[in-house]
Amino acid sequence: FACSPVTNGAHVPVAIVGAGPVGLAAAAELARHGVETVILDKGNTLSDGSRAICWAKRSLEICDRWGIAAAMIDKGITWNIGRVYCGDSPTPLYSFDLLPDRQQKFPAFVNLQQYYTEEYLIDHLAAQGHAIRWQHEVRDLRQSAEGVTLSVHTPLGDYALHCDYVIAADGCRSAVRTRMGLDFDGRTFEDNFLIADVRMKAPFPAERRFWFNAPFNDFRTALMHQQPDGLWRLDFQLGWDIDREQAIREENVTPRVRAMLGPQVEFEYEWISLYTFQCRRMRRFVHDRVIFVGDAAHLVSPFGARGANGGLQDVDNLGWKIARTLRGTAGPGLLASYDEERCFGADENIANSTRATDFMTPKSVAERAFRDAVLELAADHPFARAFVNSGRLSVPCSQRASSLTTQDADRFDARLVPGDVCVDAPVVRDGRAGWLLESLGGEFTCLWFADANAPGIAEQLPREVRLLRIAPCDGPRVDLVDPDGGLARRYGAAPGTTYLVRPDQHVAARWKQFDAAALRAALARACGYYSPHP
């Protein structure tokens, strides 16, 4: 991509530093809320190598708002099943299904190289007329009460850019974080893992396959994932005391790959990389008008696919909050709640990644004895499988304890609770089959399971809350038809049940019967008019 000339001293509401998938997603989400952005990236290409490949169902639901989820599924490899092996046995210890309920629009995961996701986002932004400035490197920034001034270097000359907010999405080696004198806290694990993306024709199924005590990898762990274009992700645990330069040389990688695949499979390398497990994050993600997202804010090990998926959840959480803040419709606690909610999400990802790493690479005799006992029991005893940890895979982060969430005053017979992400379900709208999440827009929404004996509630709602009336049959005052009652069952709903849903599709509050005063109070809480927890 070419460098573009710009005007010195121009203003933009939000500058995004970094054109990886999280930075591009931030621009797409803010555009959905009507916020103008500029993306600055010191490079001029898409990412090299596959990098992030596993996109979770929640990420696909988020990407569907920008119209790119269908392309991701069409190009990607869909999978729901994972299998865990141990030793040289061709029979798995057990398998698991990540999407037991098939009445969902999206699969549990789609495997797709990161550069394709970036390409779809860039095309989407270009079609919307939004700017991406390649070869624009942020070299300094200064904050004031009026905003942030960035000093930007380009091959065509330097310039200053003024903005109300900066979103730092410039990765694990974030230049913005470094220039602000900030750092990570957390753990770096003494182990190395080798990624080999190979192109081959292979008879293996489109599943996640994980090995403990793999004989083809010196009895360490290994992982296999299928990608589009005949690519396969192979992951090998190497240990700590290695020559890192030698470890990624093809002549040293090939014996491991050959031992894994067998002598008959022909392959060629697409990408080889080495990484060390890190589970670390910044203490805070919001620093006045500079806000950190994705790998710039937190790092986790790849097992569990919580890196890029966690970054998209950052964007999902942040976009509507910045938009309301810029419009002046946010309370003093709304932007601060990004810190509260996404630090909690990062800690959840770090905890899961840390546990997985400790199980995969035991550091003591006791830890190894525990792991070996669990693996031995798992083949025949289902209870033991809950203790096997090959990476707890990415799921939506709940905000049940958030200061924005109003807790239940009524008892509900549903697994879904306030703070959770809305569960999708098939519905009919305007005579066409669709899905609930497709009907939730970028604003607060009231889901009302219509009560034929109750008066209409539209006139009692705040203007900024959109109403969706749900009933089992179509009618003049019905927006969504729940033909088989699946939506009502998932939401524990009866006639009159009311849900208030945030712009990021998290449940803000719910009631057995509509209560206008309670809804207004819950809306005020969800908009940050109460102080977040310390």
Side-chain angles (χ1 to χ4, degrees):
F1 300 102
C3 174
S4 56
V6 295
T7 302
N8 187 50
H11 176 84
V12 67
V14 178
I16 300 169
V17 184
V22 176
L24 295 168
E29 181 62 11
L30 285 168
R32 195 170 74 98
H33 292 284
V35 177
E36 182 187 357
T37 64
V38 165
I39 303 176
L40 308 169
D41 194 284
K42 67 178 181 180
N44 65 347
T45 64
L46 301 179
S47 63
D48 62 321
S50 302
R51 298 189 180 273
I53 65 166
C54 295
W55 304 97
K57 182 168 77 73
R58 181 57 190 156
S59 293
L60 294 169
E61 291 169 352
I62 294 169
C63 290
D64 199 34
R65 301 173 195 163
W66 315 317
I68 69 168
M72 294 172 71
I73 290 176
D74 288 345
K75 181 64 178 179
I77 301 295
T78 297
W79 64 278
N80 299 312
I81 303 296
R83 302 192 189 278
V84 178
Y85 297 82
C86 187
D88 57 3
S89 172
T91 303
L93 280 179
Y94 67 95
S95 61
F96 53 87
D97 188 341
L98 292 166
L99 195 71
D101 182 355
R102 289 296 191 263
Q103 279 199 312
Q104 302 283 310
K105 181 176 182 179
F106 295 110
F109 279 89
V110 164
N111 284 1
L112 181 71
Q113 296 92 312
Q114 179 174 313
Y115 46 73
Y116 282 122
T117 303
E118 293 174 357
E119 178 185 335
Y120 300 150
L121 282 165
I122 289 169
D123 289 345
H124 166 74
L125 291 169
Q128 301 290 320
H130 297 291
I132 303 174
R133 298 180 182 175
W134 303 98
Q135 293 182 279
H136 287 238
E137 180 183 3
V138 174
R139 293 201 168 171
D140 198 9
L141 72 160
R142 300 186 309 278
Q143 294 199 63
S144 69
E146 288 73 39
V148 187
T149 300
L150 301 175
S151 298
V152 185
H153 170 76
T154 82
L156 301 179
D158 297 351
Y159 67 95
L161 176 68
H162 188 268
C163 54
D164 296 300
Y165 290 95
V166 171
I167 296 178
D170 51 345
C172 61
R173 297 181 179 86
S174 169
V176 173
R177 191 181 64 239
T178 299
R179 281 166 175 75
M180 294 180 67
L182 303 171
D183 204 351
F184 285 134
D185 292 328
R187 264 176 89 182
T188 298
F189 293 84
E190 293 187 356
D191 214 333
N192 293 290
F193 290 78
L194 173 74
I195 288 177
D197 281 356
V198 301
R199 193 178 302 279
M200 64 181 179
K201 293 182 179 180
F204 309 121
E207 301 170 343
R208 182 185 195 260
R209 306 176 79 198
F210 188 96
W211 285 264
F212 289 101
N213 302 330
F216 54 80
N217 190 38
D218 301 325
F219 296 95
R220 294 188 173 97
T221 62
L223 176 68
M224 176 186 288
H225 269 294
Q226 186 180 2
Q227 304 175 63
D229 305 331
L231 282 180
W232 294 74
R233 164 70 53 85
L234 311 179
D235 204 313
F236 303 91
Q237 180 189 6
L238 299 185
W240 181 245
D241 189 18
I242 65 169
D243 185 326
R244 294 175 62 87
E245 185 177 336
Q246 290 295 318
I248 59 175
R249 297 179 67 90
E250 286 191 14
E251 60 265 29
N252 296 323
V253 177
T254 297
R256 297 181 190 277
V257 176
R258 176 62 62 206
M260 183 187 211
L261 302 180
Q264 305 304 320
V265 178
E266 297 298 323
F267 65 87
E268 60 182 11
Y269 293 107
E270 174 84 4
W271 186 58
I272 298 175
S273 184
L274 194 68
Y275 64 91
T276 300
F277 269 7
Q278 296 186 59
C279 290
R280 303 193 293 157
R281 72 166 174 88
M282 300 175 67
R283 291 187 181 181
R284 293 184 294 113
F285 299 164
V286 179
H287 292 262
D288 297 324
R289 291 176 175 267
V290 180
I291 304 170
F292 291 82
V293 296
D295 285 354
H298 44 74
L299 292 173
V300 292
S301 62
F303 289 114
R306 291 174 177 267
N309 289 300
L312 290 187
Q313 290 188 46
D314 290 346
V315 166
D316 183 37
N317 189 283
L318 180 60
W320 68 278
K321 295 177 179 179
I322 284 187
R324 291 188 75 94
T325 301
L326 288 170
R327 291 198 301 265
T329 58
L334 187 59
L335 208 52
S337 74
Y338 172 75
D339 238 348
E340 176 195 1
E341 294 187 340
R342 290 314 298 158
C343 284
F344 172 81
D347 287 342
E348 184 176 87
N349 286 333
I350 286 170
N352 279 283
S353 293
T354 298
R355 290 171 193 143
T357 305
D358 286 338
F359 190 85
M360 285 188 278
T361 61
K363 306 298 188 297
S364 68
V365 173
E367 287 180 351
R368 182 168 291 278
F370 170 77
R371 190 192 78 164
D372 291 346
V374 166
L375 292 174
E376 185 176 347
L377 289 167
D380 301 314
H381 302 282
F383 83 89
R385 295 167 192 170
F387 296 98
V388 177
N389 198 332
S390 63
R392 299 282 189 254
L393 289 152
S394 177
V395 295
C397 177
S398 176
Q399 301 300 341
R400 299 180 185 187
S402 168
S403 62
L404 303 188
T405 301
T406 298
Q407 303 303 322
D408 277 338
D410 304 318
R411 291 180 61 87
F412 276 79
D413 182 20
R415 293 179 63 185
L416 181 73
V417 301
D420 288 355
V421 172
C422 285
V423 179
D424 209 1
V427 296
V428 176
R429 183 169 189 180
D430 298 328
R432 289 188 232 173
W435 300 91
L436 172 66
L437 296 188
E438 294 173 343
S439 298
L440 299 179
E443 61 273 4
F444 280 91
T445 302
C446 174
L447 300 179
W448 185 56
F449 290 81
D451 184 350
N453 298 318
I457 68 168
E459 64 279 1
Q460 301 180 61
L461 288 175
R463 286 192 305 171
E464 60 186 305
V465 177
R466 180 166 159 263
L467 175 62
L468 288 177
R469 295 160 294 194
I470 303 164
C473 301
D474 203 358
R477 293 190 174 184
V478 173
D479 300 299
L480 300 178
V481 178
D482 181 18
D484 63 357
L487 179 58
R489 286 192 298 274
R490 292 178 188 187
Y491 284 72
T497 296
T498 307
Y499 276 74
L500 178 64
V501 180
R502 296 178 1 176
D504 57 4
Q505 300 175 345
H506 284 258
V507 175
R510 63 181 177 179
W511 305 270
K512 284 289 189 181
Q513 294 293 325
F514 176 76
D515 184 326
L519 187 143
R520 287 179 181 276
L523 177 64
R525 178 177 293 278
C527 289
Y529 286 100
Y530 300 93
S531 297
H533 302 311

